[in-house]
Amino acid sequence: MSMDRREAIKRTAILMGGFAFAPSASGILQGCTPQAGVAWNPQFFSEYQARLVTILSDVIIPSGDTPGASDAGVPAFIEEMVSTIYDQDAREQFTSGLVAFDEMANNHYDSNFSDLDYSRQFQFANEQNQLAIDNEHTNQHGTLFFFIMKELTMLGYFTSEEGATKTLRYVQVPGRYDGCIPLEKGDKTWAT
């Protein structure tokens, strides 16, 4: 059975609902939400870090039939989460993981991640994702960063208006509660 990338992202988002990184849950509860269309001027990230976060989030959730991560304001959301919700240790872990991720891309391709063409960015991110899955319990620095980056990207995306209304099924005020609604092939998952 073949599954397209968007379907895999949606299913992963559902599964990650129970495994959210604690600061991410705290950020949502404190009101951190992505805002599309807002010009983002990084305050915490350097220009280099902001560019890398933007490109990597767009590789994780690219635009296509639905808006991508940047379209939904995810890079600014990630900066807000890291700068205001994370403690100093978690901030340093994220930013050093970002630098390490770019250094690994440079070692692999002799080029910074942001300077690679999209197919190589996708290939490298996919390799890092698989390493993160394979090394989930070893807590290696690079794999932990990729898990956190992917989680922040999906959290920001699926809590944004664009992600909730254009990628997921969304009913602003449902008329009644239906506890068990089957999904047919091709159906969108419900926004909560």
Side-chain angles (χ1 to χ4, degrees):
M1 179 176 131
S2 175
M3 182 183 319
D4 71 359
R5 189 157 184 250
R6 287 239 176 238
E7 185 65 25
I9 290 169
K10 287 189 260 185
R11 289 183 183 186
T12 303
I14 292 167
L15 292 174
M16 285 187 68
F19 300 104
F21 188 54
S24 299
S26 174
I28 295 299
L29 293 174
Q30 292 184 30
C32 293
T33 56
Q35 298 178 14
V38 176
W40 177 44
N41 295 314
Q43 303 297 313
F44 174 75
F45 290 147
S46 67
E47 289 296 323
Y48 156 78
Q49 292 168 330
R51 183 170 183 235
L52 190 52
V53 164
T54 301
I55 291 168
L56 183 53
S57 65
D58 279 335
V59 169
I60 293 170
I61 302 180
S63 60
D65 294 342
T66 58
S70 288
D71 301 326
V74 170
F77 168 82
I78 291 172
E79 182 185 51
E80 183 179 4
M81 290 288 291
V82 171
S83 66
T84 62
I85 302 301
Y86 284 20
D87 64 23
Q88 186 61 31
D89 288 340
R91 275 188 221 113
E92 289 172 7
Q93 184 178 25
F94 184 87
T95 55
S96 64
L98 191 60
V99 170
F101 176 84
D102 200 32
E103 288 172 355
M104 288 187 289
N106 205 332
N107 290 338
H108 194 269
Y109 291 107
D110 293 326
S111 179
N112 292 334
F113 182 79
S114 56
D115 294 332
L116 297 172
D117 62 52
Y118 179 79
S119 64
R120 286 192 175 172
Q121 289 172 341
F122 178 80
Q123 179 183 0
F124 185 71
N126 195 38
E127 290 168 6
Q128 295 306 303
N129 184 55
Q130 191 59 52
L131 280 172
I133 292 167
D134 293 344
N135 298 313
E136 178 180 5
H137 300 293
T138 62
N139 217 9
Q140 294 178 357
H141 183 68
T143 59
L144 182 60
F145 163 76
F146 196 81
F147 267 145
I148 294 168
M149 179 65 192
K150 187 167 78 170
E151 178 189 39
L152 286 172
T153 300
M154 292 189 332
L155 182 66
Y157 184 76
F158 289 111
T159 58
S160 72
E161 182 176 347
E162 287 74 16
T165 61
K166 295 180 182 165
T167 303
L168 302 172
R169 290 189 200 183
Y170 178 77
V171 176
Q172 187 172 8
V173 181
R176 64 176 197 207
Y177 174 75
D178 290 321
C180 186
I181 301 173
L183 289 177
E184 301 298 325
K185 184 175 178 157
D187 282 353
K188 294 179 180 180
T189 302
W190 285 96
T192 55

